[in-house]
């Protein structure tokens, strides 16, 4: 599990420095930021599938340009990506994307789901 988390976290940090597993743990919130969580399913032999849920947040009011650009950057980065390390082979694809309403009109949120097949080496 740790090699998967290490690699996926490294990939998110390439796109957005403010990337966090599950919740934003920063003392001072810097926008935009993303959080991600995962669930898994067993596939065959040494393969496991992960659904990675990504929430992207921005304090932007009515102008969502920066938020939409970050969401698109995430999509482009993971659309058909493969990552090979000594411990794992990750095969990623973007499967879903949607707008999530918030109760604060200044905070906007987007959700992306990435599916990742992991071959444990």
């Amino acid at each position: 599990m740790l090699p998967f988390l290490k690699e996926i976290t490294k990939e998110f940090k390439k796109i957005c420095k403010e990337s966090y597993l599950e919740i934003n743990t920063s003392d001072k919130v810097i926008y935009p930021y993303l959080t991600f969580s995962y669930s898994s399913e067993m596939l065959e032999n040494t393969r496991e599938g992960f659904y990675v849920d990504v929430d992207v947040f921005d304090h932007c009011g009515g102008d969502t340009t920066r938020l939409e650009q970050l969401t698109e950057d995430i999509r482009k980065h993971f659309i058909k990506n493969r990552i090979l390390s000594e411990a794992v082979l990750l095969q990623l694809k973007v499967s879903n994307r949607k707008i999530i309403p918030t109760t604060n009109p200044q905070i906007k949120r987007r959700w992306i789901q990435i599916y990742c097949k992991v071959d444990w080496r």
Side-chain angles (χ1 to χ4, degrees):
M1 180 67 63
L2 290 177
F4 162 73
L5 284 176
K6 179 181 173 183
E7 293 300 322
I8 201 80
T9 301
K10 186 168 54 173
E11 293 302 309
F12 282 125
K13 295 261 184 203
K14 287 179 185 178
I15 306 162
C16 179
K17 290 182 184 179
E18 299 296 318
S19 298
Y20 304 92
L21 176 60
E22 295 183 8
I23 60 170
N24 186 335
T25 55
S26 178
D27 290 334
K28 180 182 178 192
V29 176
I30 299 170
Y31 291 96
Y33 73 87
L34 69 82
T35 61
F36 65 96
S37 59
Y38 62 90
S39 58
S40 70
E41 63 183 355
M42 293 307 299
L43 300 175
E44 66 279 341
N45 300 324
T46 60
R47 277 184 129 181
E48 196 168 352
F50 288 88
Y51 293 93
V52 181
D53 294 317
V54 184
D55 289 293
V56 185
F57 298 89
D58 198 5
H59 188 275
C60 57
D63 183 9
T64 61
T65 305
R66 188 170 67 170
L67 177 64
E68 297 301 343
Q69 185 60 57
L70 178 54
T71 304
E72 183 63 14
D73 292 346
I74 293 166
R75 188 191 72 78
K76 284 181 181 176
H77 185 83
F78 288 106
I79 197 157
K80 286 187 179 178
N81 196 349
R82 288 191 168 92
I83 300 160
L84 179 62
S85 75
E86 290 183 20
V88 293
L89 168 64
L90 306 179
Q91 298 174 56
L92 302 120
K93 71 174 188 171
V94 176
S95 56
N96 292 302
R97 180 169 140 170
K98 66 181 174 179
I99 295 171
I100 305 289
T102 67
T103 57
N104 183 333
Q106 299 302 308
I107 306 292
K108 302 298 181 188
R109 178 178 173 192
R110 301 295 182 263
W111 175 82
I112 304 169
Q113 187 174 62
I114 299 166
Y115 188 74
C116 179
K117 286 184 185 175
V118 176
D119 287 298
W120 304 103
R121 300 180 66 189

